[in-house]
Amino acid sequence: MLKVNHLNVQFKTQSGLIEAVKDSSFSLKKGETIGIVGESGSGKSVTSLAIMRLHNSGNTIINGEVLLNGINTLQLPEDEMRQIRGNRIAMIFQEPMTSLNPVLTCGFQVTEAIRFHLGVNKQEAKQKAIKLFNEVQLPRPEAIFNSYPHQLSGGQKQRVMIAMALSCDPEILIADEPTTALDVTVQKTIIELLLRLKSERHMSLIFISHDLGVVSEIADRVMVMYKGEIVEQASTQTIFSSPRHPYTKGLLACRPSPDHHLKKLPVIADFLDAANNAVSIEKIRERYICTDDDIKERKKKLYARQPILQINELSTWFPVDTRFFSKSKDTIKAVNNVSFDVYPGETLGLVGESGCGKSTLGRSILRLIEPTSGGVNFENTDLRKLNKPEMRNMRRNIQIIFQDPYSSLNPRLTVGDSLMEPLLVHQLYENNTQRKKKVLELLEKVNLPPEYFNRYPHEFSGGQRQRIVIARALALKPKFIICDESVSALDVSVQAQVLNLIRELQQEFNLTYIFISHDLSVIKHISDRIMVMNKGEIIETGDPDEIYYRPKMDYTKKLIASIPGSKS
């Protein structure tokens, strides 16, 4: 159906041409699913956008062939290509919130495509859209038709995007990271939905992801991209059982493994170095293995101390209807009667689906959201009794790393100014010269060069921005940090680097963490203990191995079964 021959994509920049895709060739058969994997910047999305001819023609040079049933789409006039887009080849983009127009209803956005390509009237387009919403298993399709994107959950927005992509019955569907940052349970339902729709509609699918676990469940063949080149392509079984290229081996090994306790996660550089020096993967892993005796000794020391944080029957409730004249007494119990202790130097993992109350609990501890009732004692100080100035001073000791580093950094401030800001607020150091020196030390701590001081957030990758946010959290020398989904949207290789950094900083500064995530594989790797949260309550607490291999609650079993590649 689709044949890509010697595709090259170059971007014009002030410093010259950048080769984003180099001499790439592959084919796609009818009814087949190809998985394209690699890190951010490897050329995955650039390849898919070239197939769709969605690059800015002013600063992009594309050479080669993209043959759709023998017709080279790269040579078609734009009006003919517009008929192919959506009609014969459709695309689901990576981030549904930025792909959907926030000022238009979901229904309008789907019917717009239907009316353009199929030439039907408003009523027929609406009927088809609602039928599609039913097909992608959206609840209350009529209500969602009239809803705006911000009123839907991440999984629901992704289903709207899938419905839009399917609206004109395409022969080929390109799904670009459609499950990134979704909970494992939502991710699983999206994968199952795509497979079912592909089978029912006899479509071909190009599935782009940096998560090899997800690709293993959906693809017939896998294509591995590295620095713009296809370094390996074979059947899914061959790629996962006998990878040939060191980069592929590195991608497979970077993901936290439930079967090993590792002091440190191997990263891509380890495997590329190993390949040059003829060292096996097993040898690399042996460097980082943590023995059972090491773990027992660590826990013996941890739990011999008094808790640094004590949470007593903490609740945070929200009224359902907040209109001024409303008499509604209904509440959402986002956090409901939660109690637990955290010990100095410990990493306490908090896991659960979106909406379970994880982030609300983290913000309630810091009083970024005021709790409804209960106690928060930090080093024997009841934080709920502190006034605003006292609480502001206390936040020197308690920091938070938010989920999205881009939205938690001010786009108008340079990195240096963002890192100096907390030092200025708390009047640390005598002058800006000393503060700048401290900021440069912080950048060095998170493995970023000093020249980044004068750059802005948009000039960095996701992994680099996450390091900047970590540096800012460290600026005030805190004792306790809440990491709220701080690696959920990162590539596996970058995720491994950030997880290693978080652990190294803990050892260097004797930090205590609550590590919030929906990813049980990550939580199991990083945590000394795990708490499982569901519907505002802690339903299970225990040792990582106990929770992972011998869960007591059905909800925990469901979370584990939803992990891509799990043998459930």
Side-chain angles (χ1 to χ4, degrees):
M1 288 191 73
L2 183 73
K3 196 171 172 78
V4 176
N5 293 325
H6 306 292
L7 181 68
N8 290 277
V9 181
Q10 297 174 309
F11 294 126
K12 299 173 187 173
T13 69
Q14 289 180 340
S15 54
L17 288 176
I18 293 174
E19 288 189 290
V21 176
K22 306 171 193 173
D23 198 32
S24 293
S25 299
F26 63 95
S27 60
L28 177 70
K29 297 173 186 173
K30 187 171 178 63
E32 183 182 35
T33 299
I34 287 183
I36 306 181
V37 300
E39 298 168 279
S40 288
S42 62
K44 308 185 302 292
S45 296
V46 174
T47 299
S48 67
L49 291 169
I51 292 169
M52 295 286 290
R53 260 182 58 188
L54 288 173
H55 286 297
N56 182 340
S57 57
N59 68 351
T60 311
I61 301 169
I62 302 176
N63 295 311
E65 292 181 322
V66 176
L67 302 174
L68 178 63
N69 293 327
I71 298 167
N72 187 1
T73 60
L74 294 182
Q75 294 178 348
L76 292 177
E78 179 56 31
D79 58 339
E80 288 184 42
M81 189 63 206
R82 200 178 293 122
Q83 292 298 324
I84 287 173
R85 259 188 237 116
N87 217 358
R88 296 184 64 190
I89 308 180
M91 188 165 177
I92 305 164
F93 294 96
Q94 181 170 354
E95 177 44 68
M97 193 63 208
T98 54
S99 304
L100 292 168
N101 191 323
V103 300
L104 299 174
T105 64
C106 295
F108 180 89
Q109 295 183 66
V110 176
T111 55
E112 186 180 34
I114 294 168
R115 293 181 69 193
F116 175 80
H117 284 289
L118 303 184
V120 298
N121 63 37
K122 255 186 185 180
Q123 192 55 37
E124 288 174 311
K126 181 177 180 180
Q127 287 172 357
K128 184 168 176 66
I130 288 172
K131 186 182 173 186
L132 283 163
F133 285 174
N134 271 310
E135 197 175 353
V136 298
Q137 298 170 346
L138 276 165
R140 303 173 295 108
E142 287 272 2
I144 284 179
F145 186 90
N146 295 310
S147 297
Y148 290 89
H150 73 271
Q151 296 174 299
L152 307 184
S153 71
Q156 287 173 335
K157 283 195 283 277
Q158 199 60 278
R159 287 167 190 268
V160 170
M161 288 295 297
I162 293 169
M164 192 185 297
L166 296 175
S167 61
C168 300
D169 302 310
E171 302 161 37
I172 297 169
L173 180 62
I174 300 173
D176 186 4
E177 301 271 15
T179 59
T180 297
L182 294 178
D183 300 337
V184 283
T185 48
V186 178
Q187 179 176 263
K188 189 173 184 179
T189 59
I190 295 291
I191 291 167
E192 288 169 351
L193 173 65
L194 284 171
L195 288 172
R196 179 176 63 78
L197 293 170
K198 172 184 166 271
S199 175
E200 289 173 0
R201 290 165 169 260
H202 308 292
M203 289 187 307
S204 300
L205 179 63
I206 296 175
F207 190 92
I208 298 168
S209 182
H210 62 253
D211 191 330
L212 278 144
V214 173
V215 170
S216 70
E217 297 198 344
I218 201 167
D220 302 307
R221 281 191 300 126
V222 177
M223 209 167 82
V224 183
M225 293 195 76
Y226 177 56
K227 293 186 177 178
E229 297 183 67
I230 298 170
V231 294
E232 189 165 1
Q233 55 179 315
S235 71
T236 304
Q237 185 178 357
T238 301
I239 290 287
F240 279 83
S241 60
S242 318
R244 295 193 319 274
H245 198 278
Y247 178 72
T248 312
K249 293 174 183 177
L251 277 182
L252 287 164
C254 280
R255 180 103 179 119
S257 168
D259 302 324
H260 301 280
H261 293 290
L262 298 177
K263 298 173 188 172
K264 184 178 177 182
L265 289 170
V267 296
I268 294 291
D270 291 329
F271 294 95
L272 296 177
D273 289 345
N276 294 332
N277 298 310
V279 178
S280 68
I281 287 179
E282 288 71 28
K283 286 287 183 188
I284 293 169
R285 279 196 176 280
E286 280 174 19
R287 296 177 195 165
Y288 304 131
I289 291 285
C290 189
T291 66
D292 289 343
D293 287 342
D294 291 335
I295 295 167
K296 285 177 186 174
E297 186 61 29
R298 172 174 167 76
K299 291 191 174 180
K300 185 179 174 182
K301 289 178 181 175
L302 277 178
Y303 302 124
R305 307 175 191 173
Q306 289 298 309
I308 190 172
L309 180 73
Q310 294 173 299
I311 306 299
N312 303 309
E313 298 180 352
L314 189 69
S315 293
T316 304
W317 297 359
F318 301 110
V320 170
D321 195 333
T322 55
R323 288 175 297 179
F324 189 77
F325 293 108
S326 172
K327 295 180 181 179
S328 172
K329 302 292 183 185
D330 292 338
T331 55
I332 293 171
K333 297 179 179 179
V335 177
N336 191 31
N337 202 33
V338 165
S339 299
F340 61 91
D341 295 338
V342 187
Y343 293 82
E346 181 184 27
T347 299
L348 178 62
L350 179 59
V351 69
E353 297 171 283
S354 285
C356 72
K358 307 185 301 293
S359 294
T360 303
L361 175 57
R363 286 164 169 76
S364 298
I365 291 168
L366 288 170
R367 282 182 57 193
L368 297 174
I369 297 172
E370 284 294 341
T372 307
S373 63
V376 180
N377 284 288
F378 180 77
E379 293 189 323
N380 298 318
T381 300
D382 188 345
L383 300 189
R384 295 205 60 213
K385 291 181 179 176
L386 301 182
N387 60 32
K388 283 189 177 180
E390 288 170 337
M391 190 63 213
R392 192 180 297 117
N393 285 332
M394 182 58 76
R395 288 202 184 105
R396 286 179 59 176
N397 294 315
I398 312 175
Q399 287 288 305
I400 186 167
I401 300 167
F402 293 102
Q403 179 171 359
D404 181 1
Y406 192 73
S407 61
S408 56
L409 289 169
N410 188 329
R412 295 180 179 182
L413 295 181
T414 64
V415 164
D417 287 339
S418 287
L419 294 180
M420 282 174 68
E421 190 176 38
L423 302 179
L424 279 164
V425 167
H426 289 274
Q427 291 296 298
L428 298 181
Y429 305 99
E430 290 180 10
N431 52 49
N432 280 347
T433 303
Q434 290 183 3
R435 292 182 189 113
K436 182 175 180 178
K437 183 183 175 186
K438 176 62 180 175
V439 167
L440 292 173
E441 287 174 14
L442 287 167
L443 288 173
E444 186 182 347
K445 286 288 178 199
V446 296
N447 302 320
L448 292 175
E451 56 264 30
Y452 286 4
F453 185 93
N454 292 314
R455 294 189 188 178
Y456 289 88
H458 72 272
E459 298 180 79
F460 297 94
S461 69
Q464 288 171 328
R465 281 197 290 266
Q466 198 60 275
R467 288 170 185 271
I468 292 161
V469 172
I470 291 169
R472 190 176 62 182
L474 291 173
L476 300 174
K477 298 182 181 176
K479 299 176 182 177
F480 175 78
I481 299 177
I482 295 173
C483 304
D484 187 4
E485 297 277 13
S486 51
V487 297
S488 63
L490 300 178
D491 300 339
V492 282
S493 55
V494 179
Q495 185 183 83
Q497 293 168 23
V498 173
L499 288 171
N500 289 342
L501 174 64
I502 285 169
R503 186 167 270 181
E504 286 163 15
L505 293 170
Q506 181 178 46
Q507 291 167 359
E508 185 174 349
F509 297 106
N510 194 29
L511 294 168
T512 305
Y513 295 131
I514 290 180
F515 195 95
I516 300 172
S517 179
H518 60 253
D519 189 332
L520 252 169
S521 301
V522 167
I523 284 283
K524 183 181 180 299
H525 165 73
I526 198 81
S527 304
D528 298 297
R529 277 188 304 148
I530 294 176
M531 293 193 308
V532 182
M533 196 167 187
N534 184 27
K535 295 179 181 176
E537 298 180 0
I538 304 298
I539 61 165
E540 190 164 357
T541 304
D543 177 84
D545 282 343
E546 283 291 324
I547 294 287
Y548 194 88
Y549 293 111
R550 293 173 290 280
K552 297 185 180 79
M553 307 300 289
D554 289 340
Y555 175 78
T556 313
K557 291 173 186 175
K558 185 183 81 166
L559 279 181
I560 293 163
S562 299
I563 296 170
S566 65
K567 297 172 183 175
S568 54

